[in-house]
């Protein structure tokens, strides 16, 4: 199926690789998926440089020949995806979910609807860049997206607290901790969410669990903000 209408193409790179045109999934060979993903993630790169990134273990001539073949296939079968340019870029009408993740902090800060926060939380839950892809050129991009995802989850948790939604904050923190078990900002979210729900004992249990893990795994005490929260909880201060 050709991507003939560039205004309706969506490229999913978070959770899995998927190209859809007018809402219908498009079958794309793995070799072409690599090229499209690289163009989407690496900004505008000259063709020569992109070829050397994607085929780093071969000769320059072999890499450039491979790229020419892939580009020919993509333009023949999916003409609405890549611009015929150098540097290579996606056409303006192609929506990429990674761009949505990058915009998420601003969207979260402006959110006025708690239900919409839950929609974005589900988006952040699956926002892992191309899981199962193990390529050296992708390592940095995967780590960058991971940090963007964790930051978005922190922001969602804080907004849920602002809306008085303890369950939302706890869910955001749990997703973040599943990805990074020593993330102290997520433990803070958990503590504050339990406090919001009136579960002071559970908030203290979170602190003790976090402290035990940080000492065991990292040989560090919790951040002062966690320790201060625990102190206020123990002595019934203005937590």
């Amino acid at each position: 199926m050709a991507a003939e209408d560039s205004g309706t193409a969506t490229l999913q790179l978070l959770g899995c690789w998927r190209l859809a045109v007018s809402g219908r999934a498009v079958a794309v060979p793995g070799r072409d998926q690599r090229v499209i993903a690289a163009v989407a993630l690496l900004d505008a790169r000259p063709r020569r440089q992109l070829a050397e990134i994607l085929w780093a273990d071969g000769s320059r001539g072999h890499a450039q020949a491979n790229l020419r073949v892939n580009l020919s296939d993509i333009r023949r079968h999916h003409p609405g995806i890549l611009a015929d340019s150098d540097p290579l870029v996606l056409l303006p009408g192609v929506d990429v979910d990674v761009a949505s993740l990058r915009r998420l902090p601003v969207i979260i800060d402006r959110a006025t609807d708690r239900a919409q926060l839950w929609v974005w939380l589900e988006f952040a839950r699956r926002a892992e860049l191309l899981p199962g892809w193990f390529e050296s050129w992708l390592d940095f991009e995967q780590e960058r997206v991971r940090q963007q995802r964790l930051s978005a989850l922190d922001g969602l948790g804080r907004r849920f607290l602002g809306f008085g939604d303890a369950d939302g904050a706890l869910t955001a923190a749990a997703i973040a901790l599943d990805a990074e078990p020593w993330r102290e900002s997520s433990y803070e979210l958990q503590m504050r969410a339990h406090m919001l729900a009136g579960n002071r004992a559970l908030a203290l249990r979170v602190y003790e669990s976090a402290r035990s893990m940080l000492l065991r795994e990292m040989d560090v005490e919790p951040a002062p903000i966690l320790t201060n929260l625990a102190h206020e909880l123990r002595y019934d201060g203005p937590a």
Side-chain angles (χ1 to χ4, degrees), residues 122-137:
E122 288 306 308
F123 172 74
R125 184 193 298 275
R126 64 166 181 83
E128 182 181 356
L129 180 61
L130 295 173
W133 285 39
F134 303 102
E135 302 198 36
S136 58
W137 66 269

Side-chain angles (χ1 to χ4, degrees), residues 91-135:
L91 286 169
V94 181
D95 292 326
V96 185
D97 58 356
V98 174
S100 296
L101 180 64
R102 292 170 182 166
R103 294 192 298 268
L104 196 50
V106 174
I107 295 171
I108 293 168
D109 285 343
R110 296 175 179 175
T112 58
D113 182 0
R114 185 173 60 177
Q116 190 61 41
L117 288 180
W118 279 99
V119 173
W120 286 112
L121 182 60
E122 288 306 308
F123 172 74
R125 184 193 298 275
R126 64 166 181 83
E128 182 181 356
L129 180 61
L130 295 173
W133 285 39
F134 303 102
E135 302 198 36

